[in-house]
Amino acid sequence: MATRIAYAFLLLINSIISWLMLTPWALKKLEHLTLDYVNISCQGKQCYGYVAVQRVNFALGLFHFLLAIITLGVKSTRDGRASLQNGYWGPKVLIWIAFVILTFFIPETFFQVWGQYIALIGAMLFVLLGLILLVDLAHTWAEYCLEKIENTESRGWRVLLIGSTLGMFTASFAMIITMYIFFAQSGCAMNQAAITINLIVLLIVSAISVHPAVQEYNPKAGLAQAAMVAVYCTYLTMSAVSMEPDDQHCNPLIRAGGTRTTSTILGAIVTMLTIAYTTTRAATQGIALGSNSSHAYSKISGEGGEHGLVDQQPNSRREMRAEALRAAVEAGSLPANALDDDEDDSDDESDLPGKDDERGGTQYNYSLFHVIFLLATMWVATLLTQNIDFEATGVAAVGRTYWASWVKIVSAWVCYGIYSWSLLAPVVMPGRFGY
């Protein structure tokens, strides 16, 4: 966990630096601290703007790309390359800083092509991955609750499932009503269309989730998953209309809040924190990344009598070793003090400050972890540089462009589409799904 938090923090710092380099605001503040004695420039060129943002994010992206290559095929911490993933933080930070410096020696034309084509494609892949994981989370959450209800017959789990479903639908309709009141005035055709389409599709996917044909092929499908998808997509739509420019007088939040530096800075930091959290969660999602940390063992059943075989799944490799030692001691193959030696070894391992829980298998795929962080750097660069205001001199607002608004609106529609297909696919192709 500490390793993942460290990488997320590095992404956060890199994103904030990128945001500060959008305009000369931060550089002027630094120059002012030196009483205007130091004039900050990059080889005689300005250290801010479109290319500067692309440089900083390219540096971190290159850092993660190299780590993805180095950690390719690592299955456990017994592999020497695993230490590069979990340790050597001093050298890794220095390498990242060196990459940032070296990017300023690369011609600007490279970053213009990189930002307009390669980074844009990577950013869209990152957004699509997030939507897929959201749909997967919706199904996982609902199925987990249903499993608990079936196995324990717990009233608490039933109340939690029903209550969360009603709560998310209530929040969705509350956001829709709020958007119609404040962001859908006369002349705001874009907002009116986005809000209405979201409402219509919300009702359609909710109806599909409880359709008899869908229930026949996937009995666990229902309104719980639809509610989570609905509240997320409605949130995306509300975020889109509340962050669009106010040139059409369709965003009262900008007029009410003005362009105060404090609110802009807080909004940017919250956005970067969200990206860092989303990236870390996506990069460690076991299902999506094919993590091999879980191992399945089949229980050997016997009819009546004692069979002397292990019939329960061990929780770890240490328990498997202890079980084997106990069996050997009972059979007379080993002396009884072998169990004491094993307990001493276990105590020694548990006393270590950094207990290794990945010797039997990594908890997530290291290489794909870094690939997703690479895509995240492309998303940050694209988010910051689309429709950039080259005349701005103050602190830049993050995502307050029509491009960013449309990305969120279309992402909501795509999310609805992915969820709908997850419901209809078993009906269309029943042979490929084992419900």
Side-chain angles (χ1 to χ4, degrees):
M1 178 60 72
T3 298
R4 285 165 275 182
I5 293 175
Y7 282 116
F9 182 73
L10 186 61
L11 175 63
L12 175 64
I13 296 299
N14 192 85
S15 301
I16 292 176
I17 293 174
S18 303
W19 163 63
L20 291 175
M21 297 185 74
L22 265 178
T23 65
W25 178 82
L27 297 180
K28 288 182 177 179
K29 293 294 183 182
L30 290 176
E31 291 176 352
H32 181 67
L33 290 176
T34 64
L35 302 178
D36 297 326
Y37 181 77
V38 176
N39 184 22
I40 301 176
S41 62
C42 301
Q43 291 186 318
K45 301 178 182 178
Q46 293 176 329
C47 300
Y48 63 88
Y50 178 93
V51 175
V53 172
Q54 294 292 347
R55 291 182 193 275
V56 173
N57 284 283
F58 176 81
L60 184 59
L62 178 61
F63 172 81
H64 282 291
F65 176 76
L66 293 178
L67 283 176
I69 299 298
I70 293 173
T71 58
L72 186 64
V74 173
K75 301 297 183 182
S76 73
T77 52
R78 296 177 186 274
D79 191 317
R81 294 173 296 165
S83 61
L84 296 175
Q85 169 75 8
N86 301 312
Y88 299 102
W89 282 104
K92 283 193 291 191
V93 170
L94 292 177
I95 291 173
W96 164 59
I97 295 174
F99 282 170
V100 173
I101 296 174
L102 289 175
T103 57
F104 283 92
F105 294 93
I106 301 176
E108 291 187 359
T109 52
F110 170 80
F111 291 104
Q112 291 172 353
V113 174
W114 173 269
Q116 293 176 7
Y117 299 100
I118 301 176
L120 181 61
I121 294 173
M124 295 302 100
L125 290 175
F126 178 77
V127 172
L128 180 61
L129 176 64
L131 298 178
I132 294 174
L133 290 176
L134 185 278
V135 174
D136 178 71
L137 174 63
H139 283 291
T140 302
W141 159 252
E143 292 174 4
Y144 180 78
C145 289
L146 290 174
E147 181 181 354
K148 288 292 184 180
I149 293 172
E150 293 175 358
N151 294 339
T152 65
E153 297 182 357
S154 171
R155 179 180 177 84
W157 281 103
R158 193 181 304 273
V159 170
L160 178 62
L161 181 61
I162 297 175
S164 62
T165 301
L166 292 176
M168 286 186 284
F169 272 125
T170 301
S172 299
F173 286 109
M175 286 188 286
I176 291 173
I177 294 172
T178 301
M179 286 189 286
Y180 271 123
I181 294 174
F182 294 102
F183 300 97
Q185 296 90 351
S186 176
C188 302
M190 168 184 161
N191 291 357
Q192 293 171 352
I195 299 168
T196 302
I197 292 175
N198 178 78
L199 174 60
I200 293 173
V201 179
L202 184 157
L203 296 175
I204 291 175
V205 298
S206 299
I208 292 175
S209 66
V210 294
H211 192 277
V214 173
Q215 291 291 313
E216 178 182 355
Y217 288 91
N218 183 7
K220 294 184 178 180
L223 293 177
Q225 299 96 319
M228 182 174 292
V229 172
V231 73
Y232 179 74
C233 293
T234 304
Y235 158 76
L236 284 178
T237 304
M238 188 170 185
S239 177
V241 299
S242 64
M243 289 297 292
E244 67 179 10
D246 194 39
D247 55 340
Q248 301 295 326
H249 299 286
C250 296
N251 191 348
L253 291 182
I254 295 180
R255 295 194 300 274
T259 56
R260 292 174 297 182
T261 301
T262 302
S263 61
T264 303
I265 292 175
L266 289 176
I269 293 177
V270 169
T271 300
M272 299 310 173
L273 281 170
T274 303
I275 293 174
Y277 169 77
T278 303
T279 304
T280 307
R281 179 183 171 276
T284 54
Q285 185 82 9
I287 297 176
L289 301 182
S291 174
N292 62 342
S293 61
S294 60
H295 306 277
Y297 301 92
S298 300
K299 181 177 179 179
I300 303 176
S301 59
E303 297 180 1
E306 298 290 336
H307 44 63
L309 298 177
V310 178
D311 63 354
Q312 292 182 348
Q313 175 179 327
N315 293 327
S316 67
R317 287 181 177 269
R318 184 178 295 122
E319 291 186 14
M320 293 175 61
R321 180 167 175 253
E323 190 69 32
L325 285 174
R326 281 194 292 269
V329 170
E330 292 175 0
S333 301
L334 289 175
N337 60 6
L339 292 176
D340 299 331
D341 295 338
D342 180 64
E343 290 177 358
D344 293 338
D345 293 340
S346 299
D347 292 339
D348 292 340
E349 290 181 10
S350 62
D351 290 339
L352 294 175
K355 185 178 178 181
D356 187 359
D357 58 353
E358 293 187 316
R359 291 183 65 83
T362 58
Q363 295 181 350
Y364 56 95
N365 187 305
Y366 289 170
S367 186
L368 286 175
F369 175 90
H370 291 291
V371 170
I372 292 178
F373 268 81
L374 167 62
L375 297 179
T377 62
M378 296 181 180
W379 167 244
V380 171
T382 304
L383 176 66
L384 292 175
T385 57
Q386 288 298 319
N387 297 331
I388 185 175
D389 183 4
F390 293 98
E391 303 298 327
T393 57
V395 61
V398 178
R400 193 170 291 174
T401 63
Y402 281 114
W403 181 89
S405 294
W406 273 111
V407 166
K408 293 178 181 179
I409 292 172
V410 174
S411 295
W413 297 346
V414 173
C415 188
Y416 279 128
I418 295 173
Y419 173 64
S420 299
W421 175 245
S422 71
L423 296 175
L424 296 175
V427 179
V428 178
M429 299 179 295
R432 299 187 61 180
F433 298 88
Y435 291 110

